[in-house]
Amino acid sequence: MTTLYYVISFRSLPTSFRLTEKFILLLVFSAFITLCFGAIFFLPDSSKLLSGVFFHSSAVETNTRKGTDSDSNIAVGTDEKILAKIRKDHEKALVEAKDTLQKRPDEIKQDIQNEKDKVLKEGLGKGGKDDDNLPVIEYVRPPGATGHEPSNPETKERREKIKEMMKFAWDSYKRYAWGSNELRPVSMQGHSSNLFGSIKGATIVDALDTLYVMQMYEDFEMATEWVEKNLDFNVNAEVSVFEVNIRFVGGLLSAYYLSGKEVFRKKAIQLGEKLLPAFKTPTGIPWALLNLKSGIGRNWPWASGGSSILAEYGTLHLEFMHLSKLSGNPAFAEKVMNIRKVLNRLDKPQGLYPNYLNPNSGQWGQHHVSVGGLGDSFYEYLLKAWLMSDKTDEEGKKLYYDALQAIETSLMRKSSGGLTYIAEWKGGLLEHKMGHLTCFAGGMIALGADGAPEDKTGHQMEQAAEIARTCHESYARTTLKLGPEGFRFDGGVEAIATRQNEKYFILRPEVIETYMYMWRFTHDPKYREWGWEAVQALEKHCRVEGGYSGVRDVYSSSPNHDDVQQSFYLAETLKYLFLLFSDDDHLPFEHWVFNTEAHPLPVIKKEMTDTDKPNQLE
Ligand code: DMJ
C-alpha cells in the first residue's frame, strides 16, 4: 500500500524539478523500496509467522481467546511474545546444531543414551520407582480365603442378609460418595475425616477384603481399579499414623493376600515407606501425626505432656512385620521391635502400661491405663504378634499374658449384679466405666485362652464369656438395642451410660467381634442370636435412605442420626457379622490373624509342611 502511494505521487511530481534532481529522488525512493522488501527476507523462515504478519493467523487468535483478556492490545502483545520466542528457539537450535556437528559420532550416541535414561528415570519417579526394587514373590493363597454356604438353612439365610446389608452400604457409598473417605448417608454425599489428611478412598480400601470374602467379585474389581488409578499417597497433608496403618496398610495387605494382586503389595509398601519418618524421634517411639510430604511428625496437642499414645504406637506391629516380609526391607520390622525394647526398659506401675509415653524422654506421661480407647489394641497386638509368628515370638506371648494378669488384678471387677467389667485406672484410682471399645477384649481373651500359661485356659474362657455377656447387657438395656459408647457401674447403675456424651453409637464392631470369637470357640448358639439381635437393631434404626448411619442417643425412642457411615462398618462390623454366620473354615484362625480393623493377615509359617499347604481347589 505504501509503495503504490509513492508511485502514484511520483507521477504527479511538479515539472519544475531538473533532471538531476529527479534522478536523485528516484534513487532515494528505489533505496526505500528495496529496504522494505529486504526486511521481509531478514525475518525467520516460518509459515506460521508469515501468516501471523500478513494475515491474522487462526492459531494466534485461538491462543488469545483462551487467555483471560480479549483486549486487542493484549492480543498484539501476545503475538510479539510468540514471535520473540520463536526467534529465540531458532537461535538456540542453531547453536545446538553447530555444537553437535562438532562432536564425534560416539559422543553424539552417548548424549542420546543419556537423554533416554533421563526420560526413563523421570517416568519411573511418577509412581514406579520402587516397583523395580521389590523382590519377586511367589504368591500362594493361604487356606480359607473364601468359604462355602452353611448347610443350616436359617444360618444360610442370615448370612445372605448380612451380604445384602454390605451390598446396600457399598452401593450407597458408590452412588453418593465414590472416592471420598466416607459416606454421609442422610445428606447423601461424601465425608472426609482429617485422620487421613488428603488421602482419599478410606471406605474403598477398608472394604476391599470384605467384598472379597463375601464373594462380591465385580465390586472387588471395581475397587481394585480405583486403587490402581487413584490411590495416591503423594500428598502434602498430615495424617494419623495409626489410622492410616490399620485401615490403609492393613486393608491393602489383606487385599493382596486374598487376591494375589501385585498392585496391593506395591501400594502397601509405598505407603509403609511414607510412614517411616514418623519413627524419627530420640527413642524411636513414633509420632501420632505425620506430614507425608515433609516427613515432619508431632503428637496430638491434647496428649499428656506431648506424649505418643499406647494404642497408636503399639498397633503397628502386625502390618510392619508383613511389610518387611513383602518388601525384603528389614526397616519396618526393626522399627516395631524397637518399640518393644523401649517398653521393656520401663517400669510398669503394677505391671500396667500407661496410655501416654513421651517419645523424646522415653518416660511415661500421665498414669492413665485403659483397655478401651488409648490402650486397647496394644494388648491385642501383643497376643496377635505371637499368633501371627506361628507362635515363635515368645517375647510377644510373655508380654501379653503378663499384661493380662495385671489387667485382671487391677482393672477387672464384678458388679453387685454379677456383671464382669474392665474398669479404667487413673493415677491409682479406678473409674468404674467400660467403653464400647473395651468390648473387643472378650474376643481377645478367648483367642488367647488356648495358649494361657498355668492351666488358665478355662479361667480365661470364662472371663471372655463374662465380658461378652456384660457387653450384650449394655445393648439389651437400651431403647434401641444398640450399645452406648461408654457405660458405667456406679451410682446405682450397671452397664448403662449416664452421661449424655456417652450415649451415642457409631456402628462400632467390638461387641459383634467378641460374639464372633465366642461362637468360633464355643459354638454356643446364643452368640449367633445376640448377633442377630444387633442385625435387627441396625436395620431398624441405622439403615436410612442413603446407607447406614450412627445414632446420637441409644436410649431415645426417636433416633437422631449422626449422618456418618464409618469405613469400619464395612471393614469390621459387617465382616464379623458375616463370619459369625459362616463355617469355621472360612478364614480359620490357624491360618489368619485379624488386624485391629478386621483385615485378615496370614500367619507367617515357620515352615510349610504338606498339611499347611493351601488347598489347590480354592
Ligand atoms: C476401628 O478403627 C478399630 O477397631 C480400632 O482399633 C478402634 N476403633 C475402630 C472401631 O471402633
Side-chain angles (χ1 to χ4, degrees):
M1 288 285 281
T2 326
T3 319
L4 189 63
Y5 173 75
Y6 282 108
V7 170
I8 295 166
S9 308
F10 182 68
R11 275 194 195 131
S12 57
L13 282 170
T15 46
S16 58
F17 283 123
R18 281 192 309 226
L19 193 66
T20 43
E21 286 170 338
K22 280 179 188 171
F23 184 70
I24 289 165
L25 270 172
L26 188 68
L27 263 180
V28 170
F29 282 126
S30 328
F32 180 72
I33 289 161
T34 314
L35 210 77
C36 287
F37 274 106
I40 293 168
F41 295 103
F42 279 109
L43 288 172
D45 181 15
S46 157
S47 58
K48 262 191 192 168
L49 176 63
L50 289 176
S51 66
V53 171
F54 290 117
F55 318 103
H56 208 76
S57 130
S58 61
V60 175
E61 252 182 53
T62 311
N63 285 342
T64 313
R65 261 190 244 123
K66 272 187 191 158
T68 49
D69 197 329
S70 61
D71 187 282
S72 61
N73 291 334
I74 290 176
V76 170
T78 312
D79 288 349
E80 279 167 2
K81 269 187 208 152
I82 291 168
L83 292 177
K85 188 172 182 312
I86 292 169
R87 254 185 231 122
K88 219 172 142 201
D89 287 351
H90 273 257
E91 278 162 18
K92 203 177 148 211
L94 266 170
V95 173
E96 277 172 9
K98 255 198 212 160
D99 285 354
T100 309
L101 282 173
Q102 282 164 9
K103 283 185 183 173
R104 290 195 316 271
D106 57 322
E107 282 179 324
I108 296 173
K109 257 189 194 170
Q110 189 54 51
D111 282 357
I112 294 169
Q113 192 52 47
N114 290 347
E115 201 60 31
K116 269 187 184 171
D117 290 349
K118 203 177 134 202
V119 170
L120 202 69
K121 226 173 161 190
E122 278 166 10
L124 286 174
K126 278 174 195 147
K129 193 176 131 246
D130 295 326
D131 302 358
D132 292 337
N133 301 332
L134 289 186
V136 176
I137 285 185
E138 193 202 344
Y139 171 76
V140 182
R141 180 171 291 115
T146 52
H148 44 261
E149 289 191 338
S151 47
N152 179 300
E154 187 190 62
T155 310
K156 191 174 141 187
E157 202 181 299
R158 290 182 172 184
R159 188 177 182 260
E160 268 309 304
K161 173 64 193 167
I162 314 298
K163 188 167 169 179
E164 185 277 328
M165 292 166 76
M166 175 65 185
K167 207 171 153 29
F168 180 63
W170 175 253
D171 285 347
S172 304
Y173 168 78
K174 251 178 13 190
R175 188 159 171 199
Y176 304 116
W178 184 247
S180 301
N181 280 324
E182 289 171 320
L183 162 71
R184 287 201 175 277
V186 177
S187 47
M188 297 187 226
Q189 57 183 355
H191 165 63
S192 272
S193 141
N194 53 8
L195 293 173
F196 316 116
S198 47
I199 299 182
K200 301 253 175 302
T203 295
I204 299 177
V205 180
D206 237 3
L208 274 164
D209 52 11
T210 308
L211 294 171
Y212 193 96
V213 303
M214 291 190 185
Q215 303 189 11
M216 294 168 65
Y217 295 129
E218 267 180 38
D219 293 296
F220 181 80
E221 288 306 325
M222 185 181 178
T224 304
E225 201 184 314
W226 187 90
V227 168
E228 259 161 354
K229 294 190 178 151
N230 302 292
L231 186 59
D232 183 16
F233 309 122
N234 294 315
V235 292
N236 183 6
E238 199 174 52
V239 302
S240 154
V241 174
F242 161 77
E243 294 290 355
V244 164
N245 176 59
I246 66 168
R247 300 192 203 207
F248 283 88
V249 178
L252 291 165
L253 288 173
S254 285
Y256 169 69
Y257 283 116
L258 290 168
S259 72
K261 287 184 191 288
E262 270 293 299
V263 59
F264 298 125
R265 178 167 78 117
K266 285 177 194 162
K267 292 272 179 185
I269 294 166
Q270 271 173 20
L271 180 54
E273 283 169 353
K274 288 252 166 206
L275 296 180
L276 286 176
F279 294 82
K280 278 190 206 150
T281 63
T283 55
I285 295 291
W287 299 112
L289 299 164
L290 178 74
N291 182 301
L292 290 188
K293 181 150 191 240
S294 66
I296 294 173
R298 67 179 176 113
N299 275 337
W300 297 106
W302 49 260
S304 156
S307 291
S308 301
I309 307 291
L310 182 68
E312 297 197 328
Y313 66 78
T315 311
L316 303 165
H317 196 100
L318 304 185
E319 296 81 3
F320 275 49
M321 295 306 275
H322 270 288
L323 285 177
S324 274
K325 180 172 147 45
L326 293 182
S327 66
N329 177 0
F332 298 106
E334 283 163 13
K335 301 287 178 211
V336 289
M337 290 313 289
N338 175 62
I339 295 176
R340 281 223 191 134
K341 258 195 219 152
V342 175
L343 289 177
N344 285 344
R345 283 200 291 262
L346 283 163
D347 280 339
K348 281 118 215 133
Q350 298 181 33
L352 297 167
Y353 291 80
N355 291 337
Y356 300 105
L357 175 63
N358 189 304
N360 293 315
S361 65
Q363 296 303 312
W364 299 120
Q366 195 189 340
H367 279 197
H368 173 203
V369 179
S370 160
V371 183
L374 307 183
D376 49 7
S377 40
F378 162 72
Y379 304 98
E380 177 186 354
Y381 271 35
L382 291 178
L383 170 66
K384 290 181 177 176
W386 173 56
L387 296 174
M388 199 182 80
S389 70
D390 207 5
K391 302 190 176 171
T392 59
D393 180 358
E394 290 293 330
E395 184 183 48
K397 176 184 184 185
K398 180 169 174 4
L399 290 172
Y400 169 71
Y401 289 109
D402 286 354
L404 186 60
Q405 184 55 57
I407 289 166
E408 181 181 345
T409 309
S410 301
L411 306 180
M412 229 182 259
R413 294 290 179 268
K414 197 170 249 189
S415 70
S416 50
L419 295 178
T420 297
Y421 60 96
I422 305 178
E424 305 208 350
W425 195 78
K426 282 185 180 160
L429 292 176
L430 274 193
E431 193 179 4
H432 297 272
K433 165 200 164 184
M434 188 163 166
H436 192 291
L437 288 165
T438 324
C439 287
F440 89 97
M444 176 183 74
I445 295 171
L447 180 65
D450 189 36
E454 302 159 26
D455 293 333
K456 282 197 176 153
T457 301
H459 171 66
Q460 291 192 3
M461 275 312 292
E462 273 167 35
Q463 278 179 339
E466 285 183 25
I467 289 166
R469 184 164 77 94
T470 301
C471 292
H472 174 253
E473 282 305 309
S474 77
Y475 275 50
R477 295 177 187 195
T478 70
T479 312
L480 303 185
K481 307 298 171 214
L482 292 166
E485 180 68 3
F487 43 95
R488 295 188 175 256
F489 298 85
D490 56 14
V493 302
E494 295 199 356
I496 288 179
T498 50
R499 302 182 186 183
Q500 197 52 40
N501 64 2
E502 293 171 343
K503 294 183 179 173
Y504 63 87
F505 169 73
I506 56 166
L507 307 171
R508 284 199 193 278
E510 292 77 15
V511 176
I512 288 161
E513 176 182 349
T514 281
Y515 296 162
M516 192 279 292
Y517 280 102
M518 292 309 296
W519 163 257
R520 283 264 178 114
F521 288 114
T522 66
H523 285 174
D524 184 334
K526 78 173 175 233
Y527 296 113
R528 279 187 165 166
E529 281 315 310
W530 290 354
W532 191 244
E533 284 171 14
V535 167
Q536 288 170 309
L538 284 165
E539 286 297 272
K540 199 165 168 195
H541 304 296
C542 299
R543 190 168 177 146
V544 294
E545 196 190 333
Y548 288 88
S549 167
V551 291
R552 294 190 201 279
D553 184 350
V554 290
Y555 301 95
S556 152
S557 50
S558 49
N560 193 348
H561 293 112
D562 68 8
D563 200 13
V564 181
Q565 178 177 284
Q566 305 278 348
S567 77
F568 54 67
Y569 181 63
L570 293 88
E572 299 190 72
T573 312
L574 292 174
K575 189 188 288 126
Y576 284 136
L577 276 171
F578 188 78
L579 293 175
L580 175 63
F581 294 103
S582 296
D583 291 349
D584 299 351
D585 59 359
H586 196 179
L587 297 174
F589 294 159
E590 334 65 288
H591 293 290
W592 297 89
V593 165
F594 292 90
N595 90 337
T596 195
E597 188 79 0
H599 295 307
L601 300 172
V603 169
I604 300 173
K605 294 284 176 187
K606 276 180 280 206
E607 61 195 47
M608 286 279 263
T609 64
D610 281 345
T611 43
D612 284 334
K613 280 197 180 134
N615 181 354
Q616 298 301 317
L617 293 176
E618 273 189 313

